[in-house]
Amino acid sequence: MSSPRTAALEPRTLLAVVVTVLAWASAFIGIRAVGDDLSPGALALGRLLVGTLVLGVLVARRGWVRPAPADWRLLAVCGVGWFAVYNVALNAAEQHLDAGTTAMLVNIGPILIALFAGLWLGEGFPRRLVMGIAVAFGGVLLIGVATRGAEADLLGVLLCLVAALTYAIGVVAQKPLLGRLPGLQVTFTACAIGAVCCLPWAGTLAAELGRAPGSSVAGMVYLGVVPTALAFSTWAYALSRMDAGRLGVTTYLVPPLVILLGWLLLDEVPPALAVVGGAVCLLGVAVSRTRSRRPTAPPAETPVG
């Protein structure tokens, strides 16, 4: 008999998956769209403040589980790396690269998550993980060559790698917490910590909001409400009703969606060689996520935009 995690998806679960993927894809477009009016640090602070406010309302309705001292250390790693550094690096990367190329590079994150899980969580280094890392690295090199010859530069590639690295560290730090604390509370706390880390840009945010057009202000609010608060909530809902391996595969849809949305909404398309490199990166991720016939528990992974 099929368990809830292996049976066909219920309509609500499927809807949660669709909302999550579309929301995270839209984040790359939103960041690119407001980048001329809001600098990377200010945009990160504004988005995290909005996200913290919305998530705080949701957490208040469910009650609070007191974290242990060890939990606070992991929450700090998650908040500083995944929310603060990640957001600033991602925003800065999109000052140099188009949204599609950025999404392709950042989505090597699952490989790094598996690598760090092997180092810190004792999950080992399967041969396919090593093969996937090699393939994805080749894709990164192709994107680097493509961006050097286009209207972009290698700094954007490096910033994307920083974003992918901090995202992976944050997810690995989050994983042990999810067995002890509610997922929504973990996300809210990490988001709040990230917002505190970005407070040095408060003056810049205030000045830029005073000059920014209403569309850019609305874009910042959208990034906080939809890709941050809503999408993390729908991700948690879906994850509670299907296994992480099946749900993680949906992250492969994000870069193609970003490229399509970038073409439709921003009139930009990544260089052809960058698209090839991105496909190679995703192939590397796919190789790293394939498993032997012996059943093993898939690691949790959380994409982000």
Side-chain angles (χ1 to χ4, degrees), residues 173-209:
Q174 179 202 43
K175 185 178 179 182
L177 292 168
L178 295 177
R180 301 189 291 269
L181 301 172
L184 190 61
Q185 179 180 321
V186 170
T187 303
F188 160 73
T189 308
C191 189
I193 292 172
V196 171
C197 291
C198 292
L199 283 177
W201 285 284
T204 304
L205 175 62
E208 291 179 353
L209 286 178

Side-chain angles (χ1 to χ4, degrees), residues 169 222 243:
I169 292 172
Y222 172 86
D243 59 61

